[in-house]
Amino acid sequence: MSSPSSPRLTPSDPAWPDALLALLLSTGTFEAFLHELTLLTVAELPDGSRCGITVVRDAHAATIASSDDLTLVVDQIQYRTGQGPCLATLATGQSHHITDTSTEERWPAFCPEAFVHGVRSCLSLPMHGPAGLVGGFNLYNTRPDAFDEQAQARMGVFAGTAAGAVALGLRLADQARANDDLHATLASRSVIDQAIGIVMAQQRCPADQAFTILSRASQNRNLKVRDLAAEIVTAVGGRPPDTGPFDPPQ
């Protein structure tokens, strides 16, 4: 993927937060924004660095963006073993640093596997948003002691300013998902209402009794009510039900 088209800024630049929000609004999808964010991060780090962003969704840690495949592999080691600097950061809200995975004594299930995959340095930084901890910034490098105090401080600023944009993006994504769920629910209700009307006409019964008939039939056939309703509407109307807004012919 190509690098961001926005002007090159560093985390110390006063315009950095505005640049991140502009990037969020200019990228086509939230996933594209997150990927560009990881690339911006890597560009500010020593050679051999990688970056991933982890959030907790439904009580489980998950990588929602990464600069490369190795980052995903190392993140998965932490999720599978249940230990590592990223999980510690998510649990405590504090940064965690590994100078060299070959000598690190913490997280004995994680460090040897990370070392086998060529990762020597790790730095996990908390992303604190307006409503609390948003997630963690995971930084890896193939060289030991790659993240000195200056890099840690610089990336701490980066994570802090990026957290607001990530929190906004997550909220927008949640709202979009909620809208999709609402549209799906309304579409299902529309089809079910059509089927109830058909049953009412065929059985000459009120709506509540028609719905009972429909529900009992769906249980007997081990079908969802919506799927059975769609079958009924299709059989009567000769084509699958239209779940969009009613548009009478002119």
Side-chain angles (χ1 to χ4, degrees):
M1 182 175 292
S2 59
S3 59
S5 57
S6 56
R8 175 69 177 276
L9 296 172
T10 64
S12 59
D13 194 305
W16 181 245
D18 292 338
L20 288 181
L21 289 176
L23 178 63
L24 173 61
L25 297 175
S26 63
T27 45
T29 64
F30 182 48
E31 291 76 12
F33 159 73
L34 292 173
H35 182 68
E36 295 286 11
L37 183 57
T38 62
L39 297 182
L40 280 174
T41 304
V42 170
E44 295 299 321
L45 292 170
D47 290 343
S49 294
R50 280 102 164 115
C51 174
I53 299 174
T54 294
V55 298
V56 177
R57 309 290 276 180
D58 300 324
H60 296 286
T63 303
I64 58 173
S66 64
S67 61
D68 60 283
D69 292 339
L70 178 59
T71 297
L72 288 174
V73 171
V74 179
D75 282 352
Q76 288 298 326
I77 294 173
Q78 297 192 63
Y79 306 153
R80 175 168 47 79
T81 61
Q83 59 177 248
C86 170
L87 296 183
T89 291
L90 292 176
T92 65
Q94 303 294 321
S95 62
H96 288 80
H97 179 221
I98 295 177
T99 301
D100 191 344
T101 55
S102 68
T103 58
E104 177 62 60
E105 296 181 355
R106 297 172 296 175
W107 311 302
F110 164 73
C111 289
E113 281 200 57
F115 176 78
V116 168
H117 283 86
V119 171
R120 301 291 296 273
S121 304
C122 305
L123 177 61
S124 292
L125 300 162
M127 302 179 70
H128 293 287
L133 188 66
V134 174
F137 239 42
N138 306 323
L139 308 179
Y140 306 117
N141 197 288
T142 54
R143 296 186 295 104
D145 200 19
F147 306 120
D148 57 20
E149 291 185 2
Q150 183 178 5
Q152 293 181 47
R154 188 170 68 252
M155 286 299 106
V157 173
F158 193 107
T161 55
V166 172
L168 175 59
L170 289 172
R171 178 175 297 180
L172 293 175
D174 287 341
Q175 289 176 346
R177 183 163 51 249
N179 287 337
D180 290 342
D181 291 343
L182 176 59
H183 291 157
T185 299
L186 292 175
S188 295
R189 185 65 211 181
S190 173
V191 174
I192 292 171
D193 285 344
Q194 293 175 54
I196 288 175
I198 294 171
V199 174
M200 289 173 64
Q202 292 177 340
Q203 301 296 323
R204 299 184 181 278
C205 65
D208 57 346
Q209 186 176 340
F211 181 74
T212 299
I213 294 172
L214 194 64
S215 298
R216 187 180 301 119
S218 72
Q219 293 174 0
N220 292 338
R221 294 186 55 189
N222 195 26
L223 283 175
K224 293 181 179 179
V225 173
R226 182 193 186 284
D227 293 337
L228 177 58
E231 282 189 10
I232 294 173
V233 174
T234 300
V236 173
R239 63 180 183 181
D242 183 4
T243 58
F246 179 61
D247 186 15
Q250 300 296 324

